[in-house]
Amino acid sequence: MRNLIHLILIAVLPLITAIKLNASPEDDAKAVAALDTKYQAAVKANDATTMDQILADDFVLVTGRGSVFSKADLLDSARKKEATYQRQDEEPGTQKVRVWGNTAVVTALLWIKSVQGGKPADYKLWFSDTYVRTPTGWRYVFGQASLPLPKAEPK
């Protein structure tokens, strides 16, 4: 009986894996969109555990001012609660996910309202987040953010 179970697993496991790896681009886009939204919420909550699950070990973020941050840098900042966020949210309707095989890029307009180092900040910026499919699921490998956008003039 035990050998039969092993044979079944050997036959079925590759099929399950193939199904997961052959998800449609639309399904992949939905999964990555949800994961990126989950990541933004984790940043807002300083949830280092969730951030750690989503970020690839060799993750890199490049800001509009040219600063470079690693996964360890972001997790350390979240654990220390270096910033408290009132907002860390994608503007509704701005998120776009493009999928090319095992790579996906998310772009969106992000509104950040926070206090960091005792200084308030309130601005919007564009970002691009790159995800790669791994054997354990999609991982966020590279992020790039624009400079803060100029404030819109009141109408």
Side-chain angles (χ1 to χ4, degrees):
M1 181 68 162
R2 195 170 189 180
N3 287 340
L4 178 61
I5 292 171
H6 286 295
L7 287 174
I8 291 171
L9 286 174
I10 290 169
V12 173
L13 193 56
L15 294 174
I16 293 169
T17 303
I19 291 167
K20 185 176 181 184
L21 292 177
N22 291 327
S24 72
E26 294 80 16
D27 289 341
D28 285 338
K30 287 178 187 174
V32 171
L35 190 58
D36 200 64
T37 300
K38 181 178 179 179
Y39 179 78
Q40 300 304 337
V43 171
K44 183 177 183 179
N46 284 306
D47 179 355
T49 301
T50 299
M51 292 168 63
D52 185 37
Q53 293 167 356
I54 296 170
L55 294 169
D57 289 339
D58 59 351
F59 170 84
V60 175
L61 169 67
V62 179
T63 70
R65 297 199 194 302
S67 297
V68 178
F69 298 93
S70 68
K71 176 179 181 175
D73 295 330
L74 297 185
L75 296 180
D76 186 54
S77 178
R79 287 183 187 110
K80 291 178 179 175
K81 300 190 182 337
E82 290 178 349
T84 54
Y85 295 92
Q86 182 178 352
R87 294 196 64 116
Q88 167 73 24
D89 306 307
E90 295 174 5
E91 286 290 279
T94 65
Q95 186 191 66
K96 175 71 177 165
V97 181
R98 294 164 183 84
V99 177
W100 300 275
N102 292 327
T103 304
V105 177
V106 179
T107 55
L109 181 62
L110 186 67
W111 181 5
I112 298 171
K113 190 171 184 180
S114 65
V115 176
Q116 186 168 4
K119 296 180 183 176
D122 186 357
Y123 58 91
K124 294 181 182 179
L125 59 76
W126 281 97
F127 70 82
S128 296
D129 292 346
T130 303
Y131 288 78
V132 173
R133 186 192 330 262
T134 72
T136 58
W138 289 96
R139 293 292 171 265
Y140 181 14
V141 296
F142 179 77
Q144 189 159 19
S146 73
L147 289 170
L149 301 176
K151 297 276 185 195
E153 293 294 322
K155 295 180 180 181

